[in-house]
Amino acid sequence: MIIKEDKLQNVFSLFVEIESYKNFNKLENEFEEFQSLITSADLVIVDKLLHKQKTPVINTFISKGKLEEIKNIIKDQDIDLLIINHQLSASQNRNLEIFFNVRVIDKTELILDIFASRASSYVGKLQVELAQLKHLSTRLIRGWTHLERQKGGIGLRGPGETQLETDRRLIGKRIKRLNERLDKSHKQRKINRYARKKSRNKLVALVGYTNAGKTTLFNKLTESKQVAENRLFATLDSVTRKNKNPKYGPILFSDTVGFISDLPTQLIESFKATLDELKSADLLLHVVDVSDPDYKAKINEVNSILQDLNLIDIPQVTINNKCDLLPSSKIDIYKTRKEDEIFISAENDDGFEELRSRINNELFQGIYRGWISMDNNLGNIRSKLFDMGCIQEESISDCGKMLANIKIGNDELDQFVNIKGFKLWHDKDILQ
Ligand SMILES: Nc1nc2c(ncn2[C@@H]2O[C@H](COP(=O)(O)OP(=O)(O)OP(=O)(O)O)[C@@H](O)[C@H]2O)c(=O)[nH]1
Ligand SMILES: [Mg+2]
């Protein structure tokens, strides 16, 4: 497909599928995701290629035969920027630039660039610059000045032209300065965290893959107007807002940066301190775009990043979002398979009541899941539980009592526990 437009850079998108890299958690739509990543950087793809290769070639990553073909495309299409979907070593990057005589950037640099152009808060900007400089310092090797770098544009935003030409020593100095500034603002954040703990406000953090709908949901829950868009990494800076919950007290919701597979390690490192805030969260809402064919792989990806960030032990509720994009028959099947999860559409408010009551239960009361027995004269209680959507399964005991497996917030359960003939049990086998 060729799209020609007057733009500073004519971009060639090169997607290399390496057979030896295939792993169990591969995204089906990885090719499409890579194109979205490029367009999310406000670039127009002039031409793209999907190339399969057994293993990477040491010097140039791409196999020799393909190099010539790509070089011809670059000439024919007047390409001046090639973007590849892998992380290149400094020398592979340099060799490709020499061979093609155009600028080549890898996935890491592309993501760093998107972050650089989007970060708006003071801390966010410092963090991105730090990540870029760390990446740059791996690129500062002899012979890296083969391309003139006066042009500006992608890959050059952020630290700016002067830094790109400076040596390791200056970069090291700048990194140190940035770290000091970040330390200072993190100390301030710590104080804020302490104040929150003292005020006993609960913190609920929204996490998930990029574009899952976190900000859309956050806006609904807190009546905010943060930018939510159909592009990757719409949110970079964490935002926390209070939602006054009249029944239980205030809850703070925090919207965070979305995750992606192969998130550059420099970025995780730099964002760790901000994401560290999540450590004090009382609850994580893991927002999933359930209409995405890759949703399972993305859940795994997010969980593995949460593991890296030491956040995996915080109570987590999976919020299956964008239900409006799937037929209701499919949603019904999912609901029976994923009893413990919430199904919503952040766009049209579907499922919000259940979501809100689940948040309340998780934060304030906890949930009772288990069997109950009811004497036969408690038919009215049984139908009440039915109306509340709490009954998961029913049965009759040997001595003829009504048995039900229920899932209910402890606060709601309170109204029943003292009723004569109503009993809680944890194990169906011993129910009488
Ligand atoms: N159809 C539909 N679209 C939704 C829903 N929720 C969000 N979207 C759309 O999905 C896109 C991404 O939404 P965001 O809220 O920006 O997603 P995010 O998870 O914050 O994304 P990042 O900030 O990039 O990590 C936007 O175009 C939203 O309008 C939903 O329930 N249904
Ligand atoms: Mg967002």
Side-chain angles (χ1 to χ4, degrees):
M1 191 174 81
I2 297 172
I3 315 155
K4 273 270 180 201
E5 249 187 53
D6 271 351
K7 199 73 185 157
L8 178 72
Q9 282 153 315
N10 286 343
V11 175
F12 181 66
S13 156
L14 176 60
F15 187 92
V16 187
E17 199 176 298
I18 303 283
E19 282 166 32
S20 59
Y21 282 6
K22 277 189 181 157
N23 64 28
F24 74 100
N25 205 32
K26 198 176 164 314
L27 303 184
E28 253 177 64
N29 293 338
E30 212 177 1
F31 179 73
E32 287 75 17
E33 180 178 281
F34 183 57
Q35 312 311 323
S36 312
L37 207 51
I38 297 176
T39 50
S40 292
D42 295 325
L43 291 166
V44 177
I45 300 166
V46 171
D47 205 351
K48 54 186 158 192
L49 181 74
L50 194 161
H51 160 56
K52 291 183 184 177
Q53 200 174 296
K54 276 213 165 73
T55 49
V57 173
I58 293 178
N59 289 337
T60 52
F61 196 87
I62 302 156
S63 56
K64 227 177 183 179
K66 215 61 193 175
L67 283 177
E68 280 298 336
E69 189 188 323
I70 295 169
K71 193 168 187 173
N72 288 334
I73 300 175
I74 287 175
K75 264 197 207 135
D76 292 348
Q77 307 276 5
D78 215 7
I79 301 291
D80 40 25
L81 177 65
L82 182 146
I83 308 182
I84 185 170
N85 66 317
H86 286 275
Q87 193 158 2
L88 298 175
S89 72
S91 62
Q92 286 169 339
N93 204 149
R94 189 188 56 206
N95 291 339
L96 286 176
E97 288 193 338
I98 291 171
F99 185 80
F100 294 138
N101 200 28
V102 292
R103 187 147 159 67
V104 173
I105 69 171
D106 64 3
K107 189 172 169 186
T108 302
E109 207 172 333
L110 175 64
I111 295 178
L112 286 173
D113 190 82
I114 295 175
F115 275 59
S117 62
R118 303 262 175 82
S120 58
S121 73
Y122 171 70
V123 173
K125 281 182 179 161
L126 292 181
Q127 284 170 326
V128 176
E129 184 176 349
L130 188 61
Q132 282 189 307
L133 287 174
K134 281 183 182 164
H135 181 67
L136 184 63
S137 62
T138 66
R139 294 307 204 235
L140 277 182
I141 53 173
R142 218 186 291 270
W144 194 254
T145 50
H146 51 280
L147 282 180
E148 52 117 14
R149 294 182 180 274
Q150 265 79 281
K151 256 187 174 172
I154 188 153
L156 304 180
R157 287 185 281 223
E161 186 60 15
T162 43
Q163 266 87 16
L164 282 162
E165 300 287 287
T166 38
D167 61 13
R168 278 179 191 281
R169 193 177 55 83
L170 281 178
I171 288 189
K173 250 183 162 171
R174 179 84 186 140
I175 288 179
K176 196 167 162 245
R177 281 249 309 275
L178 288 171
N179 273 327
E180 281 164 6
R181 287 190 195 167
L182 280 168
D183 267 359
K184 220 168 149 184
S185 43
H186 291 138
K187 273 191 192 122
Q188 183 55 44
R189 277 170 181 249
K190 249 190 192 154
I191 296 170
N192 296 346
R193 264 203 310 263
Y194 175 71
R196 181 180 70 75
K197 280 267 175 216
K198 246 178 96 178
S199 70
R200 291 174 55 207
N201 284 345
K202 298 279 186 185
L203 179 66
V204 177
L206 282 75
V207 296
Y209 209 82
T210 179
N211 216 39
K214 298 177 293 298
T215 305
T216 312
L217 175 60
F218 173 83
N219 284 341
K220 289 277 166 71
L221 291 170
T222 61
E223 289 165 20
S224 308
K225 289 195 170 58
Q226 298 296 319
V227 179
E229 304 177 85
N230 192 15
R231 51 162 33 185
L232 308 185
F233 299 119
T235 309
L236 283 188
D237 301 311
S238 304
V239 188
T240 302
R241 295 263 184 286
K242 192 180 276 191
N243 161 49
K244 189 101 181 92
N245 182 316
K247 199 168 167 198
Y248 297 103
I251 304 174
L252 294 173
F253 285 94
S254 187
D255 185 20
T256 53
V257 59
F259 301 151
I260 195 165
S261 55
D262 310 322
L263 197 63
T265 44
Q266 296 95 337
L267 265 181
I268 299 192
E269 272 305 309
S270 305
F271 277 81
K272 233 174 196 163
T274 323
L275 293 170
D276 253 4
E277 275 201 347
L278 299 183
K279 277 195 190 138
S280 65
D282 301 287
L283 177 66
L284 299 182
L285 299 183
H286 182 163
V287 183
V288 173
D289 174 356
V290 73
S291 73
D292 181 340
D294 278 326
Y295 83 92
K296 276 187 199 153
K298 290 182 178 177
I299 289 176
N300 292 338
E301 199 68 57
V302 169
N303 280 332
S304 94
I305 295 172
L306 289 175
Q307 181 105 46
D308 285 351
L309 295 167
N310 283 330
L311 297 169
I312 204 75
D313 293 330
I314 298 175
Q316 195 188 108
V317 177
T318 304
I319 313 294
N320 295 286
N321 188 32
K322 305 199 187 180
C323 286
D324 56 299
L325 298 179
L326 287 177
S328 53
S329 53
K330 194 153 191 183
I331 299 291
D332 288 342
I333 296 172
Y334 281 161
K335 278 184 179 169
T336 53
R337 274 198 228 137
K338 304 159 184 274
E339 278 182 3
D340 220 26
E341 302 184 0
I342 299 285
F343 290 80
I344 63 159
S345 163
E347 203 90 308
N348 63 22
D349 292 8
D350 269 359
F352 270 53
E353 216 162 279
E354 201 184 339
L355 169 64
R356 287 206 169 91
S357 91
R358 177 66 179 272
I359 293 170
N360 282 333
N361 287 333
E362 292 282 340
L363 289 180
F364 301 103
Q365 322 288 174
I367 286 184
Y368 175 83
R369 292 181 192 83
W371 286 89
I372 52 164
S373 73
M374 289 170 285
D375 285 353
N376 286 333
N377 60 343
L378 295 182
N380 57 332
I381 304 294
R382 175 179 169 268
S383 38
K384 193 163 181 188
L385 285 168
F386 247 117
D387 292 343
M388 289 164 71
C390 299
I391 297 193
Q392 316 267 314
E393 199 184 328
E394 279 195 304
S395 165
I396 304 272
S397 79
D398 291 346
C399 53
K401 281 186 187 173
M402 296 183 285
L403 304 179
N405 187 265
I406 61 166
K407 190 170 95 181
I408 186 170
N410 283 338
D411 59 326
E412 288 169 317
L413 186 61
D414 279 346
Q415 59 187 300
F416 303 116
V417 285
N418 292 326
I419 295 174
K420 197 166 173 277
F422 184 98
K423 275 195 183 139
L424 299 180
W425 298 90
H426 291 272
D427 187 348
K428 190 185 169 195
D429 291 333
I430 53 162
L431 277 176
Q432 296 298 322

